[in-house]
Amino acid sequence: MSSFQKHLIISLIIRLVLIIYGEIQDKISEVPFTDIDYKVVNDGSWHIYNGKSPFNRNTYRYTPLLAIFLLPNIYIHRCFGKILFSLFDLMIAVIIKWIIMDEYHTLVVNQTASVEDNKAKIEKKYFGSAKSKVRLLNTKKDLRLIGLSDRTKFERMANFAANFWLYNPLTMVIATRGNGDALSSCLVLLSVYYLLKVNENVSDKENEKHIVLSGIFHALAIHFRLYPLFFSLAYYMYLSNNNRQITNFHSLINCFLKPNRKQIILILTVLKVLIFLTGIFYLLYNYKFLYESIIYHFIRKDTRHNFSLYFYLQYLNSGSQINILEKILTFTPQLVLILLISFRFSRTRQTFQFCLFLIAFIMVMYNPVITSQYFVWFLSLFPLTINNFRNMTTKQMIILPVLWFAGQGLWLLCGYFLEFKGFNSFDFIWVASAIFFIINVVILQTLIENYDDSSVKIK
């Protein structure tokens, strides 16, 4: 049994213990452990079990697939869904390791292609001379160094990144409380994994297969959660043949408006899967499915206290109609930032992974509604970029996480006094939200300033 497999087993045991503990806390504490959303989805499963629509349950605003997945809650045990989400949580760590190790294999493939190319050029130029043999010998020696020295580096980095996820207490608790964001994050990472396998040094048929698989998982991720939709431009730009030659606005427009075969395959695959799933559930549950699972998320006004900087504004305007100007002003900053980041950071394998992390981070930070499970959106992508912050000081690596958790702690304290003690602490919650927003801006700026887009050096 490998070291990583042992970590998976330990992590699974920890999560099972947390699930058992959650059952006990739900019975004895005024603060429940189980996520309210888990109860909502479970009720939706009961409606499906009785041959009805899951949308008959008030506030059910997810794909019906989620309620179908939790049907064993009825047949087997009410904790089945928590165990399922915990398994997806572990799968995220596995895929993180796959992605990082695949980078090593990609480098080997590219270097092998480079060796063969050099071999052909040398033989053509020198026709088997002694100089040709020396050049070929040096080239093959370089290839052996890649295989022997850098594989260990990648394995060590992959294990560290995977363990970063496995032992993250925040993500552990979110999955074991019964939140389904681990499932959608798993689908996102699978789509990234197959997209990054697209390589100019492999056959077109192999590349097209990987693009189709990436498109399928990307569409499924969007179906389960709408936020992966905002990754689509980065996916599209990453597959462009000319994204590294962008030097001005004109070249950017040409790159965007002239899709290649790979981009068209990705677009068509995503659209086919989304249209199929949407069409099936529209036939089953009519317009209510479209409204509750899709439209609502674009017009929602959540007046309950949450981490968002905008929550107090929505609370004060709760008695009024939906204000279009307010929606435009709240969504414009994140939309502009997402567009700029997608064009700027989607050019290479390394920057593409960082690009997705930045997009997810910005979506959460600027979202009108923020709850703890939203942090999974960017935390699941962060391990892919860990190796690229080697310029950060130890002081920064300690202070930034401390600030982030301290900002949450301050907000949770204010929220506790409102929710469980009945104190009117809305003003304090808004101040805590503003402080948390500023902390996130500082973290984002620091990460961008210290980002090194070079991969592990190949010597």
Side-chain angles (χ1 to χ4, degrees), residues 26-92:
D26 286 345
K27 294 177 181 178
I28 65 174
S29 175
E30 65 174 342
V31 182
F33 183 85
T34 302
D35 195 321
I36 184 64
D37 292 338
Y38 185 74
K39 298 176 181 178
V40 171
V41 177
N42 189 64
D43 291 345
S45 299
W46 273 105
H47 282 294
I48 291 179
Y49 176 75
N50 292 319
K52 300 177 182 178
S53 167
F55 300 103
N56 288 349
R57 204 292 186 190
N58 188 32
T59 74
Y60 186 92
R61 299 188 175 101
Y62 316 94
T63 169
L65 280 176
L66 197 57
I68 293 171
F69 283 178
L70 263 61
L71 280 173
N73 278 14
I74 301 168
Y75 298 117
I76 303 174
H77 192 275
R78 62 178 176 272
C79 288
F80 174 88
K82 294 182 180 181
I83 297 173
L84 179 66
F85 296 148
S86 295
L87 291 175
F88 276 110
D89 198 40
L90 297 179
M91 188 62 193
I92 288 173

Side-chain angles (χ1 to χ4, degrees), residues 364-384:
V364 174
M365 185 171 67
Y366 283 89
N367 207 47
V369 179
I370 305 173
T371 55
S372 295
Q373 60 261 34
Y374 288 14
F375 301 147
V376 176
W377 299 0
F378 60 82
L379 286 175
S380 59
L381 294 163
F382 182 67
L384 303 179

Side-chain angles (χ1 to χ4, degrees), residues 64-331:
L65 280 176
L66 197 57
I68 293 171
F69 283 178
L70 263 61
L71 280 173
N73 278 14
I74 301 168
Y75 298 117
I76 303 174
H77 192 275
R78 62 178 176 272
C79 288
F80 174 88
K82 294 182 180 181
I83 297 173
L84 179 66
F85 296 148
S86 295
L87 291 175
F88 276 110
D89 198 40
L90 297 179
M91 188 62 193
I92 288 173
V94 175
I95 301 170
I96 287 170
K97 184 171 182 177
W98 287 355
I99 291 173
I100 294 176
M101 288 308 300
D102 188 65
E103 183 174 351
Y104 165 77
H105 296 303
T106 300
L107 287 170
V108 171
V109 169
N110 291 345
Q111 188 67 18
T112 303
S114 178
V115 168
E116 295 300 324
D117 185 55
N118 287 337
K119 178 180 177 181
K121 290 179 180 178
I122 291 168
E123 290 181 340
K124 182 178 180 180
K125 183 175 181 180
Y126 296 106
F127 296 102
S129 66
K131 190 173 183 180
S132 169
K133 294 178 182 178
V134 172
R135 290 282 297 277
L136 284 174
L137 183 63
N138 289 336
T139 304
K140 291 179 179 179
K141 183 180 178 182
D142 289 341
L143 182 60
R144 283 200 302 273
L145 285 175
I146 291 175
L148 294 174
S149 64
D150 289 288
R151 181 178 180 86
T152 303
K153 295 179 183 178
F154 274 96
E155 285 180 343
R156 186 166 56 245
M157 183 172 61
N159 287 329
F160 176 77
N163 289 336
F164 172 86
W165 179 265
L166 288 175
Y167 295 107
N168 188 321
L170 183 63
T171 57
M172 277 185 195
V173 171
I174 289 173
T176 54
R177 291 184 68 215
N179 183 269
D181 277 288
L183 194 161
S184 55
S185 296
C186 188
L187 292 170
V188 168
L189 285 170
L190 281 171
S191 70
V192 173
Y193 171 69
Y194 284 108
L195 193 72
L196 291 176
K197 289 181 77 69
V198 176
N199 193 319
E200 61 183 9
N201 290 315
V202 300
S203 66
D204 291 341
K205 185 177 180 180
E206 191 74 9
N207 279 336
E208 289 178 8
K209 182 185 78 171
H210 291 147
I211 293 170
V212 169
L213 287 170
S214 177
I216 290 171
F217 285 117
H218 184 50
L220 286 171
I222 294 171
H223 181 74
F224 273 91
R225 274 287 200 181
L226 289 176
Y227 80 90
L229 177 66
F230 293 94
F231 296 150
S232 299
L233 178 59
Y235 282 41
Y236 177 85
M237 295 303 296
Y238 178 73
L239 291 175
S240 173
N241 295 328
N242 304 311
N243 58 358
R244 299 187 188 188
Q245 284 78 46
I246 297 175
T247 56
N248 52 44
F249 183 74
H250 178 71
S251 60
L252 174 64
I253 295 299
N254 281 338
C255 181
F256 178 71
L257 295 180
K258 295 180 179 179
N260 57 35
R261 179 177 173 81
K262 293 181 291 186
Q263 292 170 310
I264 292 172
I265 291 173
L266 179 68
I267 292 171
L268 292 177
T269 302
V270 172
L271 288 176
K272 285 178 182 177
V273 176
L274 285 176
I275 291 172
F276 172 77
L277 290 172
T278 305
I280 288 292
F281 290 120
Y282 178 77
L283 291 174
L284 289 173
Y285 304 118
N286 304 317
Y287 175 76
K288 196 166 186 180
F289 156 70
L290 291 179
Y291 179 81
E292 296 290 354
S293 65
I294 301 175
I295 299 173
Y296 169 81
H297 295 284
F298 290 101
I299 63 173
R300 70 183 294 183
K301 181 182 287 188
D302 197 324
T303 58
R304 291 177 62 86
H305 57 285
N306 62 80
F307 288 103
S308 175
L309 182 67
Y310 303 118
F311 108 86
Y312 201 36
L313 173 66
Q314 296 178 91
Y315 175 76
L316 295 175
N317 292 338
S318 59
S320 60
Q321 295 293 323
I322 295 174
N323 191 319
I324 299 300
L325 179 60
E326 177 187 321
K327 288 294 180 183
I328 292 173
L329 292 176
T330 54
F331 277 105

